[in-house]
Amino acid sequence: MRTDSSPGSLPAREHLPAAAAGTPVLDVVVPVYNEERDLGPCVRRLHEHLTRTFPYAFRITVADNASTDGTPHLAARLAADLAAVRSVRLEQKGRGRALRTVWSASDAPVLAYMDVDLSTDLNALLPLVAPLISGHSDLAIGSRLARSSRVVRGAKREFISRTYNLILRGSLQARFSDAQCGFKAIRRDVAQVLLPLVEDTGWFFDTEMLVLAERAGCRIHEVPVDWVDDPDSTVHIVRTATEDLKGVWRVGKALATGSLPLDRLARPFGDDPRDRDLTGVPQGLARQLVGFCVVGALSTLFYLLLYSGFRHFAGSQLANALALLVSAVANTAANRRLTFGVRGRGGAVRHQAQGLVVFGIGLALTSGSLAALSAATTDPDHSTELAVLIAANLAATVLRFLLFRAWVFPDPQPAAPSPEPHLPEPHLPDPQRTWSDAR
């Protein structure tokens, strides 16, 4: 897993400015490996569709993954015959490698790809890229699992696809519906930040990109598609599924350990309500309260179980101190990651040290409550002890949240805004002129 310490900042969402003359707005990549039979019909049909319906200049890039048949010669001939088509040859296999290579070098502001079999109806292409051109979204995917999608495929592929997406939702908390549909697009400025973090070079490439994009706070637009299964597909289902599961494990491990710098990548969204500078309203307070309460409830249960266990061989004061110490370390770690969104190992020791100070205050409250109970009655029963400890812990919990928020994990102070340079008003491209140029 790539762990660049400073991957950069994602750009603010805005409508794409007018492209320079001769620069395509859209670059559609068709990755191929030994596809001499399907490549010609695919590219010609795609080129005809874009020429007829797409209102901006475009490019089709055939990315050959080390084919051993006549695919490279056919791709070169198509590039020579059609002005908006080019071919790129790679000497190594891997769909992800092909997409990374072409997308990284492309000058088009919107990058897309589709499978050579054209299983997806091309009428979904303009709805796919329109939200990226307008600035509404960062990535867009075709979804065969949307309610309004119309899909024709066998039960085996249907089962595998739905199972895979359920695994993504259960293990990586993915919220997009269809990771495997070969019909996706991304803004180039977003791709420049995300691609260095994506490690896979094969079929898991786009799934990994989507998971990282979602975790970084990107907006993913989904388009229902009409899709017809290709019975002659050369994809090896078992091998692909195995590699995908390995990728899920690798990405899940990296996210769990905080080794990926994905905390929204310091993105200046501007249009995101979470980023608005509202005076007098602490940012993220509601979400932090919910997270703190959940962690606190689990920590209290953990503490009571520990106390009951330690009480079998130690006095009430020692059992309380041990249980509170162990649960405090776990509570600080959980709140650091889940409540306040601190990722990575930086500052972890300092946070635990500050957490132990907060633990000391909680220990004083609970120990004082036990001392007061012992003074009031010489032999309190276990249920009374637990009731007193719960009340004391509630008071300590309120104080713990305030100290965590104000001292241990304070909100970073926003930097003073720098004066924005004066830029000339952008001129939107003339759809009729660019449409004519594309022809």
Side-chain angles (χ1 to χ4, degrees):
M1 176 61 62
R2 302 172 190 271
T3 57
D4 302 29
S5 59
S6 179
S9 298
L10 288 166
R13 296 190 188 103
E14 58 185 6
H15 195 292
L16 292 176
T23 302
V25 172
L26 172 66
D27 192 348
V28 183
V29 182
V30 182
V32 292
Y33 173 73
N34 290 348
E35 296 285 358
E36 61 180 350
R37 188 186 69 175
D38 294 333
L39 180 58
C42 162
V43 172
R44 294 186 184 279
R45 179 181 164 197
L46 176 59
H47 183 272
E48 187 276 334
H49 176 84
L50 288 171
T51 302
R52 179 169 48 86
T53 65
F54 194 68
Y56 301 100
F58 65 87
R59 177 193 297 137
I60 300 172
T61 301
V62 179
D64 175 39
N65 280 134
S67 294
T68 57
D69 62 358
T71 299
H73 303 291
L74 178 57
R77 189 163 65 249
L78 289 168
D81 294 344
L82 302 173
V85 176
R86 67 167 180 164
S87 64
V88 175
R89 167 75 175 180
L90 288 85
E91 299 302 329
Q92 292 178 289
K93 293 177 60 177
R95 182 182 65 174
R97 179 178 288 108
L99 294 177
R100 183 200 307 280
T101 300
V102 177
W103 283 355
S104 298
S106 179
D107 57 351
V110 177
L111 311 168
Y113 95 89
M114 62 181 59
D115 292 336
V116 70
D117 56 16
L118 292 185
S119 295
T120 305
D121 182 18
L122 292 178
N123 286 326
L125 183 55
L126 185 55
L128 183 80
V129 302
L132 309 187
I133 295 175
S134 70
H136 175 271
S137 302
D138 304 295
L139 299 91
I141 64 174
S143 176
R144 299 163 297 183
L145 304 180
R147 290 183 180 273
S148 56
S149 297
R150 291 178 290 184
V151 177
V152 178
R153 62 175 168 179
K156 180 180 178 181
R157 284 182 176 269
E158 180 79 11
F159 174 78
I160 291 175
S161 179
R162 292 188 178 274
T163 301
Y164 178 64
N165 284 282
L166 284 175
I167 291 174
L168 292 180
R169 287 176 176 269
S171 59
L172 300 179
Q173 287 78 53
R175 289 175 293 178
F176 46 85
S177 66
D178 191 352
Q180 293 177 310
C181 183
F183 194 70
K184 297 181 175 70
I186 184 172
R187 287 175 62 111
R188 179 169 60 91
D189 49 12
V190 176
Q192 289 174 338
V193 179
L194 286 180
L195 290 182
L197 300 176
V198 180
E199 180 177 336
D200 191 81
T201 59
W203 292 97
F204 187 68
F205 170 87
D206 41 350
T207 298
E208 183 174 354
M209 180 182 68
L210 288 173
V211 171
L212 301 187
E214 191 173 71
R215 291 299 186 98
C218 293
R219 176 176 289 159
I220 301 175
H221 178 71
E222 297 198 17
V223 178
V225 297
D226 298 339
W227 195 86
V228 179
D229 192 13
D230 178 13
D232 299 323
S233 173
T234 58
V235 177
H236 193 287
I237 296 178
V238 176
R239 183 171 62 244
T240 301
T242 301
E243 294 301 319
D244 285 346
L245 293 177
K246 289 180 180 178
V248 170
W249 169 258
R250 173 176 52 79
V251 173
K253 181 180 179 182
L255 293 173
T257 57
S259 60
L260 278 168
L262 287 175
D263 191 12
R264 304 180 67 225
L265 298 177
R267 177 177 192 158
F269 281 116
D271 58 348
D272 193 321
R274 294 171 295 177
D275 297 315
R276 294 175 186 170
D277 187 14
L278 302 177
T279 58
V281 180
Q283 295 186 8
L285 178 60
R287 180 189 61 79
Q288 290 178 356
L289 275 173
V290 172
F292 184 82
C293 289
V294 172
V295 172
L298 295 176
S299 297
T300 300
L301 178 61
F302 184 47
Y303 161 78
L304 293 175
L305 292 174
L306 289 174
Y307 177 82
S308 299
F310 291 147
R311 195 65 175 84
H312 290 298
F313 58 85
S316 60
Q317 293 287 6
L318 179 59
N320 173 63
L322 291 174
L324 199 56
L325 175 62
V326 175
S327 61
V329 172
N331 180 276
T332 299
N335 276 307
R336 181 178 187 270
R337 177 67 177 85
L338 302 176
T339 303
F340 298 97
V342 180
R343 296 174 171 84
R345 297 183 177 86
V349 175
R350 175 174 58 83
H351 292 152
Q352 283 292 349
Q354 291 173 310
L356 289 177
V357 174
V358 178
F359 151 76
I361 297 174
L363 177 62
L365 285 174
T366 54
S367 297
S369 300
L370 286 175
L373 179 63
S374 298
T377 177
T378 56
D379 188 23
D381 57 33
H382 187 60
S383 60
T384 303
E385 283 185 350
L386 290 180
V388 169
L389 287 174
I390 290 173
N393 266 288
L394 288 175
T397 296
V398 175
L399 183 59
R400 186 183 303 120
F401 176 75
L402 296 176
L403 289 174
F404 272 175
R405 181 172 173 80
W407 180 47
V408 183
F409 309 108
D411 287 333
Q413 295 298 321
S418 57
E420 296 183 359
H422 176 72
L423 298 175
E425 290 294 326
H427 298 285
L428 296 180
D430 183 350
Q432 294 300 324
R433 178 176 60 82
T434 52
W435 177 77
S436 299
D437 294 342
R439 294 176 65 91

